Amino acid sequence: MSVSKNRWVTLGAATIDEPSIIPEQAPLIPTGATRPQLSVPQPDQADRLPRRNVSGREPDFWWLGVHGGAGETSLARLDKNTRAADHHWPLMATGSVVVLVARSNIPGLAAARLAAREWASRSLPEIEVAGLVVMADAPGRLPKEIRDFSRIVGGGVPHAWHFPWVDGWRYGHDVAPEELPKEARTVLEQVHLAVTAAAALTAK
């Protein structure tokens, strides 16, 4: 994927303002775990996401909502080259690059932590997790408790981003990429850069 062809924002744009999970500088430098680890146990069976074999056209990457209403479908509508995973780990013969999606509330972040643990347990060798997008569940700044929990959960994946509130989605409106807040376009740019790095790992 060529960075120069990405239409989300121009190169050199500032990273998102607070509330942010990642540092302002160096969005390509991982801020959390970059690969599964030997010491991480799988979550209990009831806490794991289902898995599904998929075929057909391979998307650039998958948005995986870790719970209902996470926002994966809204994100997938912004780019026809991506797909929503319908809350399943998408298993493809060629491997899959996944971006986890969760709402910015305690239950949503807890679900993201379980998904990150499942990936970290080495039980999904065909999956590369590029990061986690935490979707704002209300306008305004996140409460400190949720910001702190977001940072903890974000440490379990290579990158984590806060996606700001988009009012049009509340009313069921389609929102074009150019109509998104600047912070949202910047997040999407960073996601694409992280996906490029993760895709290089699946090719090895």
Side-chain angles (χ1 to χ4, degrees):
M1 180 184 310
S2 173
V3 174
S4 62
K5 294 181 181 178
N6 194 301
R7 68 177 187 276
W8 300 114
V9 294
T10 57
L11 288 176
T15 32
I16 55 178
D17 297 326
E18 285 290 323
S20 173
I21 302 170
I22 59 173
E24 182 175 338
Q25 68 277 7
L28 285 180
I29 297 175
T31 56
T34 58
R35 61 180 59 89
Q37 303 158 44
L38 284 171
S39 60
V40 178
Q42 282 197 70
D44 293 339
Q45 181 67 43
D47 293 326
R48 300 175 200 169
L49 289 171
R51 306 176 185 192
R52 182 172 61 193
N53 292 314
V54 292
S55 59
R57 184 182 68 87
E58 181 179 356
D60 288 350
F61 64 94
W62 298 84
W63 301 103
L64 173 53
V66 297
H67 59 85
E72 62 171 11
T73 303
S74 295
L75 291 171
R77 286 175 180 157
L78 295 171
D79 186 345
K80 65 182 180 180
N81 296 316
T82 69
R83 289 176 62 185
D86 296 326
H87 313 297
H88 289 70
W89 292 107
L91 306 181
M92 301 190 74
T94 56
S96 301
V97 178
V98 165
V99 176
L100 304 178
V101 185
R103 284 290 172 185
S104 61
N105 52 46
I106 295 299
L109 292 169
R113 181 169 59 178
L114 288 170
R117 274 183 52 200
E118 187 174 358
W119 168 71
S121 71
R122 305 181 72 193
S123 65
L124 294 156
E126 56 281 285
I127 297 285
E128 285 292 340
V129 172
L132 165 67
V133 172
V134 178
M135 303 286 284
D137 67 336
R141 185 176 175 83
L142 291 176
K144 182 180 185 301
E145 178 184 5
I146 294 179
R147 290 201 311 272
D148 291 345
F149 191 30
S150 294
R151 292 187 180 97
I152 292 170
V153 174
V157 294
H159 304 275
W161 305 270
H162 176 85
F163 198 94
W165 178 257
V166 179
D167 201 55
W169 285 344
R170 169 184 276 181
Y171 299 97
H173 298 161
D174 287 334
V175 177
E178 60 272 15
E179 297 172 335
L180 292 169
K182 179 182 177 182
E183 296 91 341
R185 298 195 308 271
T186 302
V187 169
L188 293 172
E189 170 74 9
Q190 293 177 351
V191 166
H192 278 74
L193 294 175
V195 164
T196 299
L201 295 176
T202 64
K204 291 182 179 180

